Amino acid sequence: MPVLAVLVSVLVGGCGQSSGDSASDPTVPAPPAGTRWVGSGQVVVAVPDCSNPPAPSTVREVSALAVVDADSGYGELVVRDMEPIGEVDGREVVESGECEEWFEGVCRRLFAVPSEGVVFAVTIADKSDGGYEAIRDSLHILPETSTTVPLATRDGWTPAWGAEPKVTDALVHQLKDAGLNVETKTAERPSNDDGGDYDSFPEGSLLDVSPALGSVIDVGGTVTVTVSGRSLDPAR
């Protein structure tokens, strides 16, 4: 399935104030309290901003938002079966009326802005995690002075924490191709003798991206990519 990117947003507890965006344009509205804007290009939705999600092993299924390229084979297929439900800033919004069973007892629903080439797939594992309608109805088109940090490398993968150096390099190239400036920083090794996770990664592995992937940023803005430095582990 050619998913452009998957943003795993655990919606169970630990949700704080919105963070991560760096757009200076005052016409970009603040997202609702406790949420942050996430999206692709100039299309964003508000998702819960959970800074301390539970470990994956503590939840049965994870509520998530996936962003799919509407111009891909899969994207074209799902959009073809959607029905118009309204507009956002003059652009038609369409929706799949059916619940797609993603896991047993877990529903995934989709909506899209075809003219912008974006499909959102929302999976809610538990009603307490939030609502599909709230995410759909938060749909917003950014002004021309703002965009979002690319969610994926050219081959369609979303780099995660600890991604190997070649993936990090691919992300940097994608950020630059999107017209953004990139500042690469090497994280300082912990001062204690135990490097912990730092020593478990090859030099140049991905540790952080700020603003986060999918977050709002000024057109031509700067993204800081933090990577691991040289490990003291002889095996690395």
Side-chain angles (χ1 to χ4, degrees), residues 9 41 52 70 77 85 106 122 127 130 135 176 178 181 190 192 197 205 209 221:
S9 180
N52 297 298
L77 180 65
I85 58 170
V106 178
V122 182
K127 291 182 179 179
I135 293 175
K176 291 179 178 179
N181 297 306
N192 55 35
D197 288 334
S205 297
V209 181

Side-chain angles (χ1 to χ4, degrees), residues 23-93:
S24 61
D25 190 331
T27 64
V28 177
T35 69
R36 65 188 181 94
W37 292 124
V38 167
S40 176
Q42 291 181 290
V43 185
V44 293
V45 293
V47 299
D49 182 20
C50 300
S51 55
N52 297 298
S57 60
T58 67
V59 290
R60 183 176 65 87
E61 306 293 356
V62 175
S63 295
L65 172 73
V67 182
V68 181
D69 182 358
D71 297 323
S72 67
Y74 175 73
E76 290 181 346
L77 180 65
V78 296
V79 169
R80 189 181 306 154
D81 294 331
M82 292 184 181
E83 297 292 335
I85 58 170
E87 293 185 350
V88 58
D89 200 15
R91 294 149 173 94
E92 183 180 56
V93 180

Side-chain angles (χ1 to χ4, degrees), residues 4-194:
L4 174 63
V6 176
L7 303 176
V8 178
S9 180
V10 181
L11 313 182
V12 185
C15 293
Q17 298 300 313
S18 60
S19 63
D21 296 340
S22 68
S24 61
D25 190 331
T27 64
V28 177
T35 69
R36 65 188 181 94
W37 292 124
V38 167
S40 176
Q42 291 181 290
V43 185
V44 293
V45 293
V47 299
D49 182 20
C50 300
S51 55
N52 297 298
S57 60
T58 67
V59 290
R60 183 176 65 87
E61 306 293 356
V62 175
S63 295
L65 172 73
V67 182
V68 181
D69 182 358
D71 297 323
S72 67
Y74 175 73
E76 290 181 346
L77 180 65
V78 296
V79 169
R80 189 181 306 154
D81 294 331
M82 292 184 181
E83 297 292 335
I85 58 170
E87 293 185 350
V88 58
D89 200 15
R91 294 149 173 94
E92 183 180 56
V93 180
V94 296
E95 177 184 57
S96 174
E98 298 182 357
C99 168
E100 178 182 345
E101 189 173 48
W102 200 236
F103 304 102
E104 183 178 354
V106 178
C107 178
R108 188 174 88 149
R109 298 181 64 186
L110 299 90
F111 63 96
V113 184
S115 64
E116 297 295 320
V118 178
V119 178
F120 291 103
V122 182
T123 305
I124 302 295
D126 190 281
K127 291 182 179 179
S128 63
D129 293 351
Y132 163 79
E133 289 80 7
I135 293 175
R136 180 199 62 196
D137 295 346
S138 71
L139 190 64
H140 182 74
I141 304 296
L142 298 172
E144 293 183 358
T145 55
S146 299
T147 186
T148 52
V149 179
L151 288 162
T153 59
R154 184 171 297 177
D155 59 8
W157 292 100
T158 297
W161 181 78
E164 58 187 8
K166 67 177 182 180
V167 176
T168 304
D169 290 343
L171 174 62
V172 170
H173 286 305
Q174 187 64 31
L175 295 172
K176 291 179 178 179
D177 286 347
L180 299 172
N181 297 306
V182 180
E183 178 183 351
T184 303
K185 295 174 58 177
T186 301
E188 293 185 9
R189 189 180 185 280
S191 58
N192 55 35
D193 291 336
D194 181 12

